[in-house]
Amino acid sequence: MVDSLVREKQHKQELPEKTTATFVPQEQVSREVKRAPSRYRNELSKYIIRRSNACILCGKCAELCPQGVHVLKPGYKYFAAPQQQVCIGPACQKTDHYCVDHCPQKALQMVENPMMKLMGDYRWTADMILATWKMAETGEPPSPEYGYDYETGASGGGFDRIRFKFPEKPPVEVDESEIDTSIELNRRGDGRPNIRIDVPWYGGGMSFGSVSISTQLSKARAAAAFNTFTCTGEGGYMERLHPYDDHTITQVATGLFGVREDTIQRVRIVEFKYAQGAKPGLGGHLLADKVTSAVARMRETVMGISLFSPFPFHSVYSIEDHQKHMDWIKHLNRRALVSTKVSTPADVDMVAVGSYSAGTHIIHIDGGYGGTGAAPDIAKKNIAMPIEYAIVKVHDFLTKEGVRDKVTLIASGGLRSAHDIAKAIALGADGVVVGTAELVALGCVRCGRCESGRGCPRGIATTDEELSKQVNVEWGSQRIINLYSAWRKELVSILKAFGMRSVAELRGRTDLLMHLDYENNAEQRK
Amino acid sequence: MPEKYHIETRPVPPRRPRIGKCGVVDWREDCARCHNCVKKACVFDRYRQETQYIRGLNEVDNLFFECMGCFSCVQQCTKGILALAANPAYERLGNSYWTPEIIQTTWTQAETAKIPVSGAGYRGKFTGPGFDAMWTDMSEIVRPTRDGIHGREYISTAVDIGRKSPLLTFNDDKLTAALPPLVDIPMPLVIDLMPLEYKINNLLPFMLAAAARTGILMLVDYRDWNLLGADKERHLPHVVFYLEAGAPLPPTEILRRTRLVEINDSSNIERRIGELKTIHPSIVTAVRIALDSRGIERATELGKQPYIEVLHLVSDINGNQIDAIRPRFVKDMVREVHNALVKSGVRDQITIMAGGGIALAEHLAKQIICGADLVSVNLPLLIALECHLCHTCQPRISCPAHMADIDAAYGVGRMTNLIAAWHDQLIEVMGAMGIREARRLRGEVGRALFFNELEEETFGRLFGTRKAA
């Protein structure tokens, strides 16, 4: 209603920047990159070095290797376990320090790690997981020496077949320090705060219950460091998140678990989740084993009982109902922006325009190939369209309707790397939401066992007290900060290659993209 | 409201050692014998009672293959002596269509009767041939849907098989037109004949019992009538006799207790249907049409005939056109027949049953969207009994699933569980689509998204002509 008045009478709402005070002092987190090695004793690597009994312990290999793969500690008779994760494999063969060739006893052998075959999948290849781990450790994009093919997955479609058409040299030389990667989230001009985030992404909603509190806090701290956001998911607002209120989105989903006036009023963005890419058309699932007493208390439910959120909101069967919902939030929190998270049905473009007209600031479309939580396998690949198509449809339709610059379009659902993020923006999104990549940074191997029992064996997507201790909040936030930092560097290098000073210039630049399965002759066809 | 269709299930554990995707390789000779061995910390408890597992060869295999592939032990072992290895037995399961993933998920559903659920998102290919080249749609805000999955409203999966009247006529509020016979089943699924190379006679009674327990139908060659076990007479309403062209008809007293009969396509179908109707006027007749090079044309032609009630269109077991060098896929062929009959204005009058290549519950929904009223399945039921699809079902050749030793509790239980899990999944996708009746799902391509169309609509505009495959 308020927005209708703004539209009709051309007047701005006069609202102070903050109509409610920040509830608690906010934690400042540095975005400084610090090395955060794997928390596991034996890091998985793409290549493995085998040392045979012929080794005479001459130490030549340790002397030669600049990467430090071979470790012969002073005072020790034998080599320590090799640091295989830093071995660059076949790329080393062309150098003058290839240990295998220089070993006087021919006692060394370098082979591809056969376990890589078992790690990852078509969407998240083993290389992509290893590269994400490397970024989370160092804060830098992985050196090409490692030979990680991490910019695309092996799914054979969508982002994995789209490439940038980089010019031989940038049309304009731009200094990297001048490149702006921030995006604005409020384009409505409705008097509500114009929130800018420093990177064109924020963290996806993962509830307490689906992931541990350490995971949630790590995400929140990284969001604070990069002046962006994380989202509570549909599981309530943990007290320990309060120092990160300014970087947390309260999600209001169909089950309304843990939603209270307080949790709506303390944040700067409230997200309505109508559907999610992991299980479009179905409500959230939290299976019984993961509903511990702490989770049940937070959600005001019963321990050990599976929680299935309904679908859809039973109070929303039209855009008018949706507007009513939004007015409720806007009334409760006069400084909040409202995001509408929907999945990607055939009419996603209509839904997006409807949401805009109902007053949303952010349209968040979540494609079917993403998701982190438990979902029926039948829903994962069979319901709703992949995000690559949806971005194009929504961006075009919003443009045709003349409202593209009045709303922020956020895309998610299977975005795994900085390259995916840049491609999504070039297809027409303003920014993206990421989820799985953050979990991979924390050590996820995508074994897919997050949904039941004690939950994630890697201590990430679990509420089991013992398992969740595996992730230390300091370490976890540093890993995500490092990943964000590496991504930002990659994004900046992409923008620099195109001579762009801002990520906003990249939006909708489909002319900079090509598809490997097409003749790329759209111009001629016109 | 009609009584809610519900299938009673209970877990039926496998008889054979599980075959997992990976296994742990343990090089024990370098073990440091740590007190805090990572094996004790296995979240899935695969090691804790290791010594107790070693009671038989099967149990050793279980230990090996029940690994969940989380790499935790591999990465934490003090001496780094643990490794994961791909299980060659897993990779040998099935074939390029019936992939190891399909076989394993079918085994799990047959054991638990539950919808397979996992975390960490989708992990497969962007698209693929056959059923993977389409997605079902879902309703968002603007179209009302109902929550039929977890409770409050009823999503009906029932379908009618038979010829339907185009219109009803009344005289003084009394129905004057004779209603044609219809067979009503609670789920759009029938059990098809097993392909000859997978036909195992001792399983027929269990299949029939599973059909009876779930309320669906089972096609059986009349020549196998005597193989259907002691309860065959009792289960007659669930039996659909299949009659080859020229095969003798079943005895009248038996035929009259069935509801549907299927005949093979031949030149004298009308006469054959007439004979069957003479014996049993309220029986519904189906004509089985092989989807070969003439299949679509033949089905379209027959579908227009007033004596046809049901067409059963059957591709090969992988969903491909029969005997074609560049075969078309069953969903596309059925869609073409469906569309042709819609254009002819007769589609609503007949029933189309489609078979071949139905391997997962999602295929069931997608095939119906592409124009079938219901589908027929065969191999998934065999896989439910731990079949590896190794294609060697011959006497005196060792069967890895020991099919000859199956008992009724196991056989019927596993097949029932699978059907129940498929039913629940059908409801999941129908709920997401906002469709409350399986009858309305038929041909509802507006509730689906097709790869080719989406590509052309979005990427075609951006990137031009798609390269030939």
Side-chain angles (χ1 to χ4, degrees), chain B residues 98-392:
Chain B
W98 300 83
T99 59
E101 289 79 15
I102 289 178
I103 292 184
Q104 198 168 55
T105 187
T106 307
W107 285 350
T108 310
Q109 291 170 57
E111 177 180 351
T112 62
K114 289 184 177 165
I115 297 173
V117 174
S118 61
Y122 175 56
R123 51 191 65 233
K125 291 233 172 195
F126 186 84
T127 184
F131 290 116
D132 288 342
M134 67 182 283
W135 298 269
T136 63
D137 198 13
M138 47 86 67
S139 282
E140 199 66 69
I141 309 167
V142 293
R143 281 190 294 252
T145 61
R146 295 289 183 269
D147 177 18
I149 304 158
H150 303 296
R152 306 195 308 200
E153 296 206 27
Y154 185 47
I155 292 180
S156 167
T157 54
V159 287
D160 304 312
I161 308 172
R163 190 172 182 87
K164 287 119 191 170
S165 298
L167 50 94
L168 301 174
T169 52
F170 295 89
N171 188 5
D172 283 343
D173 291 342
K174 284 192 179 159
L175 190 63
T176 53
L179 290 178
L182 287 175
V183 178
D184 182 5
I185 57 172
M187 184 178 172
L189 185 76
V190 298
I191 301 176
D192 201 358
L193 306 170
M194 279 292 159
L196 278 181
E197 63 269 35
Y198 291 107
K199 192 174 167 220
I200 302 168
N201 289 343
N202 65 307
L203 301 180
L204 292 176
F206 308 147
M207 285 183 183
L208 180 56
R213 192 184 282 185
T214 52
I216 62 172
L217 304 171
M218 176 189 170
L219 275 153
V220 62
D221 193 319
Y222 177 66
R223 288 170 293 192
D224 294 332
W225 167 240
N226 289 326
L227 300 173
L228 287 180
D231 290 332
K232 60 186 179 191
E233 302 257 351
R234 188 160 59 87
H235 294 324
L236 259 174
H238 299 281
V239 172
V240 180
F241 286 124
Y242 168 71
L243 306 171
E244 284 279 4
L249 299 185
T252 306
E253 66 277 11
I254 291 180
L255 193 63
R256 280 190 178 158
R257 289 165 61 198
T258 64
R259 298 180 287 166
L260 178 66
V261 64
E262 181 165 301
I263 56 175
N264 200 11
D265 186 18
S266 67
S267 54
N268 63 348
I269 291 175
E270 189 174 3
R271 187 164 55 81
R272 194 112 167 112
I273 292 174
E275 284 170 17
L276 288 161
K277 291 276 185 188
T278 309
I279 298 170
H280 183 11
S282 62
I283 200 165
V284 176
T285 55
V287 180
R288 189 181 188 92
I289 299 173
L291 286 170
D292 53 20
S293 57
R294 281 208 64 243
I296 295 172
E297 191 190 334
R298 175 69 174 153
T300 312
E301 172 197 319
L302 272 185
K304 295 174 195 162
Q305 305 307 318
Y307 52 84
I308 293 294
E309 294 170 300
V310 182
L311 293 177
H312 186 186
L313 311 179
V314 189
S315 68
D316 74 8
I317 55 172
N318 297 335
N320 289 326
Q321 194 172 12
I322 296 165
D323 295 335
I325 295 164
R326 290 175 64 85
R328 298 182 64 196
F329 195 69
V330 63
K331 82 172 201 309
D332 305 316
M333 294 187 281
V334 171
R335 198 175 169 194
E336 189 175 330
V337 174
H338 168 80
N339 286 341
L341 295 177
V342 169
K343 272 189 194 152
S344 307
V346 296
R347 179 62 188 92
D348 281 339
Q349 293 170 45
I350 64 160
T351 302
I352 293 181
M353 185 153 60
I358 307 291
L360 293 165
E362 69 206 49
H363 299 169
L364 169 63
K366 288 177 176 178
Q367 184 66 86
I368 294 173
I369 288 173
C370 288
D373 291 276
L374 71 161
V375 303
S376 62
V377 295
N378 42 31
L379 291 189
L381 295 168
L382 205 58
I383 298 170
L385 307 177
E386 295 176 78
C387 172
H388 293 202
L389 286 193
C390 58
H391 205 281
T392 52

Side-chain angles (χ1 to χ4, degrees), chain A residues 325-397:
Chain A
H325 252 202
M326 253 183 297
D327 287 347
W328 158 50
I329 295 293
K330 287 180 176 178
H331 181 74
L332 269 181
N333 183 343
R334 307 278 282 176
R335 66 179 172 131
L337 306 188
V338 180
S339 166
T340 304
K341 178 178 176 179
V342 294
S343 193
T344 51
D347 59 353
V348 61
D349 42 4
M350 296 288 294
V351 172
V353 167
S355 294
Y356 164 76
S357 63
T360 197
H361 298 94
I362 300 167
I363 293 165
H364 173 182
I365 48 175
D366 193 19
Y369 284 175
T372 52
D377 289 348
I378 193 169
K380 284 184 177 178
K381 82 165 201 264
N382 296 306
I383 308 179
M385 70 176 83
I387 192 66
E388 290 90 332
Y389 303 131
I391 296 171
V392 176
K393 279 174 76 98
V394 173
H395 172 71
D396 285 355
F397 198 58

Side-chain angles (χ1 to χ4, degrees), chain A residues 110-131:
Chain A
M110 187 275 298
V111 292
E112 281 214 27
N113 188 347
M115 281 195 286
M116 290 302 103
K117 195 179 168 193
L118 290 166
M119 197 162 91
D121 45 67
Y122 290 114
R123 292 202 62 78
W124 272 88
T125 58
D127 274 11
M128 213 175 227
I129 294 175
L130 292 178

Side-chain angles (χ1 to χ4, degrees), chain A residues 38 40-44 115 117-119 121-123 133 154-158 162 274-275 280-282 285 287 308 310-312 314 316-319 322 342-347 351 355 369-378 380-386 388-389 392-393 396 427 445-451 454-455 457-458 467 510 513-522 525, chain B residues 21-23 41-44 48 67-80 82-87 91 105 115-127 131-132 134-147 149-150 152 360-363 366 425-426 428-429 431-432 446 448-449 451 454-468:
Chain A
S38 163
Y40 290 100
R41 185 185 183 92
N42 312 313
E43 196 164 344
L44 293 169
M115 281 195 286
K117 195 179 168 193
L118 290 166
M119 197 162 91
D121 45 67
Y122 290 114
R123 292 202 62 78
W133 285 351
S155 74
I162 293 174
Y274 283 89
L282 310 172
H285 291 36
L287 303 190
F308 296 103
F311 180 85
H314 288 309
V316 179
Y317 285 112
S318 66
I319 287 297
H322 173 46
V342 294
S343 193
T344 51
D347 59 353
V351 172
S355 294
Y369 284 175
T372 52
D377 289 348
I378 193 169
K380 284 184 177 178
K381 82 165 201 264
N382 296 306
I383 308 179
M385 70 176 83
E388 290 90 332
Y389 303 131
V392 176
K393 279 174 76 98
D396 285 355
L427 285 175
V445 281
R446 288 181 57 74
C447 66
R449 311 290 174 183
C450 2
E451 81 289 356
R454 294 171 69 196
R458 316 276 294 186
L467 290 177
T510 51
L513 296 171
M514 63 169 292
H515 196 299
L516 299 181
D517 297 334
Y518 283 78
E519 302 287 352
N520 297 295
N521 57 355
R525 281 220 309 185
Chain B
K21 186 175 181 182
C22 54
C42 174
V43 174
F44 304 107
R48 197 180 294 272
C67 170
M68 300 291 186
C70 75
F71 287 91
S72 296
C73 61
V74 173
Q75 287 197 263
Q76 291 182 92
C77 172
T78 309
K79 299 285 282 182
L82 298 174
L84 293 194
N87 181 2
E91 290 175 341
T105 187
I115 297 173
V117 174
S118 61
Y122 175 56
R123 51 191 65 233
K125 291 233 172 195
F126 186 84
T127 184
F131 290 116
D132 288 342
M134 67 182 283
W135 298 269
T136 63
D137 198 13
M138 47 86 67
S139 282
E140 199 66 69
I141 309 167
V142 293
R143 281 190 294 252
T145 61
R146 295 289 183 269
D147 177 18
I149 304 158
H150 303 296
R152 306 195 308 200
L360 293 165
E362 69 206 49
H363 299 169
K366 288 177 176 178
Q425 288 171 86
L426 177 62
E428 288 268 2
V429 284
L449 303 149
F451 172 72
L454 271 177
E455 283 276 316
E456 179 57 31
E457 193 182 316
T458 51
F459 292 165
R461 197 170 47 72
L462 301 180
F463 305 119
T465 318
R466 192 173 168 84
K467 292 176 186 168

Side-chain angles (χ1 to χ4, degrees), chain B residues 14-42:
Chain B
R15 298 167 301 126
R16 308 295 305 152
R18 292 176 202 275
I19 298 181
K21 186 175 181 182
C22 54
V24 181
V25 180
D26 184 350
W27 307 105
R28 291 176 193 215
E29 59 266 27
D30 201 21
C31 176
R33 306 278 187 274
C34 330
H35 291 296
N36 57 344
C37 177
V38 288
K39 294 180 174 183
K40 291 179 191 165
C42 174

